[in-house]
Amino acid sequence: MLPEPVLAKVQSELLEFGDARASVMEISHRGAAFGEIAAQAEADLRALLDIGDEYAVLFLQGGATAQFSQLAMNLSAANQSADYLITGSWGKKAMAEASNWCQTRCVASAEADGFRGVPDPSQWDLDPDAAYLHITPNETIVGVALDGVPRTAEVPVVADMSSCILSEPLDVSRFGLIYAGAQKNIGPAGMAIVIVQRALLGHKPRPLPGYFDYRVQDAAGSMFNTPPTFAWYVAGEVFKWLVECGGVQEMKSRNRAKAALLYACIDASAFYANPVDKPFRSMMNIPFTLADSTLDQAFLSQATEAGLLGLKGHRLVGGMRASIYNAMPLQGVQALTDFMRDFEQRQA
Ligand SMILES: *Cc1c(COP(=O)(O)O)cnc(C)c1O
C-alpha cells in the first residue's frame, strides 16, 4: 500500500512534472529536474534514518533478490565464508544465492521449529572470521521479527530490511550494509535501496561488472546507467510524506498500535491463530489461520467484498496474512478486526 496523498500528488504531476513540460518518465536522468528529485530523495532518506556520510546510499534496479547476490559479490572473496542467521524463507533464499559467490554457513536456523521464532543467541555458531553476518530483521512471509541487532565484535552485520525499513527508528551505525526492495515500505517495485558503509568497499574481492560494483555506483551517484527514475521519484514522495507525518518515531507508534490491535483480535478468539512466539511477532506482516481451514476461501472472498484486499497468505505457507506497512492507516486494521469478529459470529 502507498500513502494516498502520495498517489494523488504523483497523479497530479503525471502529465507534466513542475515546469519540465514532460512527465518524470520522459525527462533525462542527467537533467537538472531529475537531479533535484534524486538529491532530495537521498537527503530525506538520510535525514529520516540519520545516515552519516560514511555510508553510501544507492538506488539500484533489481529488487532485493538481486542484492542477495550483489552484496556477496562486493563483500566477500571466493575463499571467504559468510554467516547467515535463518529465521524465515527470505534468509534461506539469500543464503542460497550468496553461495554462488562465497562459502556460506548457517549460524542457526528456526526452520525445524516451523519458523515460529528466533533461535537463542547462546546457540548461534558464529564465525569470527566471516566476511559478514546476514540477518533478516523482519521475515515477511512467516511474520517473524528479530528483537534487536546481534552484537558481533568484528564481523559486519548485513540486513535485508525489505519489509521493515522506515517502520521504526534504526541505528544505522550498527550495520555494515542495509538493503531493501522498494515495493513494501518505500514505493513501486523495480528498485532496491542499499545503505553501505564506504569503508567496507575499500578492496575489490573479485573483478565485477561496473553495474554490480557498489563503489562504481557510489562514485556515479547510482547513475552508472539509467536508474529506475519513476520508482526513485515516487520513493522521494514517500520520504516527504514520512517527514511530514513526523518521521520514523511517529511511524513506530502508529505501527505498534496497528499490530497490537490485530494481535489482540487474533489472541482473543479460538477461531483465529498466529503461530509466532510472542517476543518475535512482526509489526508489519501478521499471518493468521482459521481453526477450520475449509472456511479460508469464504473468509477471503467475503473480505474482498468488504473492501479488505490482499489478505491471502503467501503460497509457501497458506492461510491469511495482513501486511500492515507504514501507509496502512489504523482505520484499515480496525475494519479488518471488525470484519474478523463479524465473520466468526456468522459461523456460529
Ligand atoms: C519481498 C522480499 C524480498 C524479495 O524482493 P524482490 O524485490 O521480489 O526481489 C526479499 N527479502 C524480503 C525480506 C522480502 O520481504
Side-chain angles (χ1 to χ4, degrees):
M1 187 171 183
L2 285 169
E4 205 170 305
V6 169
L7 290 175
K9 172 115 188 276
V10 169
Q11 182 186 43
S12 77
E13 293 178 339
L14 194 65
L15 296 184
E16 185 181 2
F17 177 75
D19 53 8
R21 298 164 68 199
S23 157
V24 170
M25 290 179 278
E26 299 168 309
I27 57 178
S28 167
H29 64 287
R30 309 255 179 230
F34 190 78
E36 265 173 49
I37 293 172
Q40 190 62 49
E42 181 178 334
D44 284 339
L45 180 61
R46 283 185 181 275
L48 282 163
L49 293 179
D50 196 13
I51 306 170
D53 278 345
E54 66 279 24
Y55 286 82
V57 174
L58 308 176
F59 294 78
L60 302 175
Q61 296 173 359
T65 301
Q67 291 311 313
F68 293 165
S69 295
Q70 194 170 352
L71 70 90
M73 288 176 203
N74 278 272
L75 300 185
S76 70
N79 61 359
Q80 274 187 301
S81 179
D83 276 355
Y84 279 75
L85 175 66
I86 309 294
T87 51
S89 31
W90 286 119
K92 235 178 115 175
K93 270 199 171 173
M95 178 166 133
E97 290 292 303
S99 64
N100 292 309
W101 302 96
C102 62
Q103 294 154 45
T104 51
R105 278 173 78 255
C106 172
V107 165
S109 171
E111 187 168 18
D113 198 26
F115 292 133
R116 297 158 61 96
V118 177
D120 191 82
S122 66
Q123 282 155 23
W124 298 1
D125 176 22
L126 290 166
D127 173 5
D129 296 321
Y132 57 85
L133 166 65
H134 183 284
I135 60 173
T136 312
N138 186 71
E139 279 282 357
T140 322
I141 295 174
V142 293
V144 168
L146 297 190
D147 57 349
V149 188
R151 294 229 169 253
T152 56
E154 294 96 24
V155 176
V157 177
V158 171
D160 176 359
M161 295 207 174
S162 294
S163 51
C164 58
I165 192 163
L166 294 163
S167 65
E168 60 183 341
L170 183 64
D171 181 358
V172 172
S173 71
R174 300 282 300 279
F175 298 87
L177 186 150
I178 292 166
Y179 66 103
Q183 70 271 28
K184 293 173 180 130
N185 238 350
I186 295 174
M191 186 172 74
I193 287 179
V194 176
I195 302 163
V196 57
Q197 210 176 0
R198 289 189 163 120
L200 286 180
L201 308 179
H203 73 294
K204 202 175 191 165
R206 54 169 59 81
L208 287 178
Y211 180 79
F212 297 112
D213 189 328
Y214 289 141
R215 270 190 315 178
V216 170
Q217 287 289 8
D218 184 22
S222 304
M223 295 193 197
F224 179 72
N225 64 327
T226 310
T229 51
F230 191 72
W232 194 335
Y233 152 72
V234 181
E237 291 302 321
V238 171
F239 300 154
K240 286 183 201 163
W241 175 79
L242 284 168
V243 170
E244 272 167 32
C245 289
V248 286
Q249 191 63 50
E250 171 64 19
M251 281 301 130
K252 180 181 185 176
S253 61
R254 291 186 192 183
N255 288 329
R256 276 208 169 152
K258 281 151 45 183
L261 188 65
L262 184 46
Y263 284 120
C265 170
I266 293 168
D267 291 343
S269 145
F271 191 81
Y272 299 106
N274 168 283
V276 179
D277 295 341
K278 283 191 178 142
F280 306 113
R281 283 176 158 185
S282 167
M283 219 169 38
M284 294 276 97
N285 308 98
I286 304 186
F288 60 94
T289 51
L290 307 190
D292 176 0
S293 64
T294 63
L295 293 172
D296 285 8
Q297 220 27 66
F299 181 93
L300 287 169
S301 58
Q302 290 176 35
T304 303
E305 269 170 48
L308 300 159
L309 312 182
L311 285 166
K312 195 171 162 49
H314 192 277
R315 59 196 153 81
L316 286 177
V317 293
M320 274 28 96
R321 176 179 50 168
S323 287
I324 48 175
Y325 296 119
N326 282 343
M328 172 62 68
L330 182 67
Q331 298 91 298
V333 182
Q334 272 158 350
L336 173 60
T337 53
D338 288 348
F339 171 81
M340 287 168 70
R341 278 186 288 268
D342 184 57
F343 183 85
E344 177 179 356
Q345 271 165 15
R346 280 185 284 114
Q347 308 312 314

